[in-house]
């Protein structure tokens, strides 16, 4: 499905590809600038029947084995960014933009309307750059599998990269397509930082880091040093001031 994502970005942006295949410059923006395209395809993930545990495809409404409609749907696919060696690490910030393509169901339980989205990310944003540095020098360095960097849509790491939504379309089950956002016609929309309480289970944050975040934003947290309590206080103060998403994203990245 990576090629479908590449073609979609090329059509939407008007920039041609470089005929590079899996490796190389995905999108030619100018003589010197290029774009990298990553595609996350959540609409073909196999689910499971909760009665007999048989695999169930996303377009099946009932279990093909036992006929049960008690199905477990899955939508946890993510974008993969691979840095295999020092040379690739040196080049990870070279693209002018990363384009993140996502195909997902509007409601994974219904498996009906498909939402196609494209976000544009400037790799010079510290949220993106710091994630790549942390992945290669810390996470990958300690990993035996050397798996790629996992970037989940709508996650905290995704949000601190300040992704700009440049394209969105809704593909109905009857193949009618409604274009919600399109470059040139509509302004890009920066993905907001969601409610901090939703990220209370983040493994990248802990009470000491939250205190550092509060100090950076000239905020204070009191009471018990547990994640949910501290996140609730920070979220309340953030909305009260308010603190711009852009400033919050950079503070969280740092």
């Amino acid at each position: 499905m990576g090629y479908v994502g590449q073609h979609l970005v090329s059509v939407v942006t008007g920039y041609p590809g470089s005929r590079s295949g899996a490796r190389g410059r995905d999108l030619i923006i100018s003589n010197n600038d290029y774009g990298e395209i990553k595609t996350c395809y959540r609409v073909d993930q196999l689910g499971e029947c909760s009665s007999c545990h048989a695999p169930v495809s996303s377009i099946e409404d009932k279990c093909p084995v036992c006929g049960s409609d008690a199905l477990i749907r899955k939508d946890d696919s993510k974008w993969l960014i691979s840095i295999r060696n020092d040379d690739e690490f040196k080049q990870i910030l070279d693209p002018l933009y990363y384009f993140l393509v996502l195909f997902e169901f509007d409601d994974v339980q219904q498996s009906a309307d498909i939402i196609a989205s494209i976000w544009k990310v400037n790799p010079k944003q510290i949220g993106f750059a710091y994630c790549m540095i942390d992945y290669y020098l810390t996470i990958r360095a300690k990993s035996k599998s050397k798996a790629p960097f996992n970037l989940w849509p709508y996650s905290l790491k995704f949000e601190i990269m300040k992704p700009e939504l440049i394209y969105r379309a809704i593909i109905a089950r009857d193949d009618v397509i409604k274009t919600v956002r399109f470059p040139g016609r509509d302004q890009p929309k920066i993905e907001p930082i969601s409610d901090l309480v939703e990220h209370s289970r983040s493994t990248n944050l802990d009470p000491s880091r939250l205190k550092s975040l509060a100090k950076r934003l000239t905020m204070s947290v009191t009471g018990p040093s547990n994640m949910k309590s501290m996140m609730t206080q920070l979220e309340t103060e953030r909305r009260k001031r308010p603190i711009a998403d852009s400033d919050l994203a950079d503070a969280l990245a740092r």
Side-chain angles (χ1 to χ4, degrees):
M1 292 310 302
Y3 288 125
V4 173
Q6 289 186 351
H7 284 298
L8 180 62
V9 173
S10 191
V11 169
V12 166
T13 62
Y15 297 123
S18 67
R19 305 166 183 84
S20 63
R23 293 282 170 181
R25 302 185 172 202
D26 294 335
L27 209 64
I28 302 302
I29 298 174
S30 70
N31 290 335
N32 299 315
D33 297 320
Y34 68 98
E36 182 77 13
I37 302 170
K38 300 295 180 183
T39 301
C40 175
Y41 203 69
R42 288 184 159 181
V43 297
D44 66 346
Q45 288 188 255
L46 280 178
E48 180 182 334
C49 174
S50 60
S51 297
C52 71
H53 304 292
V56 181
S57 77
S58 61
I59 60 173
E60 292 177 311
D61 296 322
K62 294 183 178 181
C63 174
V65 176
C66 72
S68 172
D69 59 2
L71 308 177
I72 301 172
R73 303 293 191 183
K74 296 182 180 179
D75 62 346
D76 56 353
S77 289
K78 61 272 185 185
W79 295 293
L80 302 177
I81 301 177
S82 177
I83 309 176
R84 299 176 298 177
N85 51 54
D86 289 349
D87 287 338
E88 291 185 355
F89 181 52
K90 292 175 183 177
Q91 299 169 4
I92 195 65
L93 305 185
D94 285 354
L96 184 64
Y97 297 112
Y98 279 77
F99 293 89
L100 305 177
V101 185
L102 175 64
F103 294 94
E104 61 182 337
F105 286 115
D106 182 36
D107 181 351
V108 70
Q109 300 302 325
Q110 299 297 322
S111 300
D113 291 354
I114 293 173
I115 299 177
S117 306
I118 302 174
W119 288 270
K120 182 174 71 174
V121 174
N122 179 354
K124 303 302 192 297
Q125 293 283 0
I126 64 169
F128 184 93
Y130 283 2
C131 279
M132 296 302 103
I133 293 169
D134 180 52
Y135 160 73
Y136 190 71
L137 299 182
T138 305
I139 300 172
R140 186 182 185 278
K142 298 177 182 179
S143 168
K144 292 183 179 180
S145 67
K146 307 301 180 186
F149 175 78
N150 296 327
L151 178 58
W152 276 273
Y154 312 115
S155 66
L156 186 59
K157 286 186 177 181
F158 170 70
E159 292 176 357
I160 67 173
M161 294 179 182
K162 301 181 186 176
E164 296 183 9
L165 180 67
I166 63 170
Y167 171 83
R168 175 159 288 166
I170 301 173
I171 308 166
R173 179 168 277 185
D174 60 3
D175 292 333
V176 172
I177 300 174
K178 178 182 179 182
T179 303
V180 179
R181 189 174 298 273
F182 198 90
R185 188 193 74 178
D186 307 298
Q187 290 296 316
K189 177 187 176 184
I190 297 180
E191 196 71 23
I193 303 292
S194 55
D195 190 317
L196 292 176
V197 181
E198 296 179 11
H199 301 299
S200 296
R201 296 185 179 182
S202 170
T203 56
N204 297 101
L205 295 174
D206 56 34
S208 65
R209 288 192 174 99
L210 289 182
K211 289 179 180 177
S212 176
L213 172 67
K215 183 177 180 180
R216 184 175 293 275
L217 295 171
T218 63
M219 300 163 63
S220 62
V221 288
T222 59
S225 294
N226 65 72
M227 291 288 289
K228 189 169 182 179
S229 173
M230 295 175 75
M231 285 290 216
T232 300
Q233 291 183 64
L234 289 172
E235 178 63 25
T236 300
E237 186 68 18
R238 166 203 177 189
R239 301 293 179 185
K240 184 179 178 180
R241 287 200 182 184
I243 296 174
D245 280 348
S246 178
D247 295 336
L248 181 57
D250 287 347
L252 281 163
R254 290 189 172 97

